[in-house]
Amino acid sequence: MTAPVIGVLALQGDVREHVAALTGAGADARPVRRPEELDAVDGLVIPGGESTTISKLADIFEMREPIDKRIAVGMPVYGSCAGMIMLATEVLDGRPDQHGFAGIEMTVRRNAFGRQVDSFEAPVTIAGVEGGPFHAVFIRAPWVERVGASVDVLGEVTEGPSAGRVVAVRQGNLLATSFHPELTGDLRLHRYFVDLVRATA
């Protein structure tokens, strides 16, 4: 079985960690920062980092329009943390000059769980992923406040003061999580995305 080629948007953030996790999950993973590199991939990961910086660099590296076009024709994309913000149609507490790819019909709140000192870990069960809850790492993470009719909620925080907050969603070929699976060594979510890319390649 041929490994799907999956790019990691290499403008800022957890690029190496996602490349390693995708490789471990059976993908031909590579960093992507130029339009011609995007042309060569079957799917894309938008990593955690700083969403306002990723937004600016997407313009500087002339990646915004090519990514928008690939999303429009069905390219699978997975966004973690800042990547979730970049995929949302509406961002609360963002900067006025911040523009994402608006692929998933949802409203997210930036830094919803608090600042860096408020980072935490919690178990999160993801619908469609077997093996029990994920040990989810949240770092200055967003949460989802509203989803459109075509968006499936895959996971919520189940414990603590943030119980009930939506932290994983999917709309068609687009997947997003508030947390960072690339930091835990648990490859199940990356395998889930690799399978999604393989099914559409």
Side-chain angles (χ1 to χ4, degrees), residues 84-145:
M84 170 183 266
I85 296 170
M86 293 296 294
L87 286 174
T89 52
E90 182 182 18
V91 178
L92 305 178
D93 293 337
R95 286 173 40 154
D97 60 347
Q98 181 175 343
H99 303 289
F101 304 114
I104 299 178
E105 187 187 346
M106 63 179 173
T107 300
V108 301
R109 185 172 295 278
R110 186 169 167 263
N111 293 345
F113 291 101
R115 304 183 64 79
Q116 192 89 12
V117 294
D118 299 311
S119 299
F120 70 103
E121 301 175 15
V124 175
T125 298
I126 304 296
V129 179
E130 297 180 350
F134 277 85
H135 182 77
V137 177
F138 296 87
I139 304 171
R140 293 178 61 201
W143 65 45
V144 180
E145 297 210 345

Side-chain angles (χ1 to χ4, degrees), residues 33-118:
R33 65 175 58 87
R34 299 288 184 183
E36 58 269 23
E37 295 169 338
L38 181 69
D39 291 341
V41 303
D42 304 311
L44 183 69
V45 170
I46 305 173
E50 173 50 59
S51 60
T52 55
T53 301
I54 294 172
S55 174
K56 289 178 182 177
L57 292 174
D59 290 327
I60 291 170
F61 282 82
E62 299 182 335
M63 290 294 286
R64 182 175 305 281
E65 185 177 351
I67 292 174
D68 282 342
K69 286 182 176 178
R70 290 293 303 276
I71 288 175
V73 298
M75 176 181 68
V77 180
Y78 166 46
S80 65
C81 197
M84 170 183 266
I85 296 170
M86 293 296 294
L87 286 174
T89 52
E90 182 182 18
V91 178
L92 305 178
D93 293 337
R95 286 173 40 154
D97 60 347
Q98 181 175 343
H99 303 289
F101 304 114
I104 299 178
E105 187 187 346
M106 63 179 173
T107 300
V108 301
R109 185 172 295 278
R110 186 169 167 263
N111 293 345
F113 291 101
R115 304 183 64 79
Q116 192 89 12
V117 294
D118 299 311

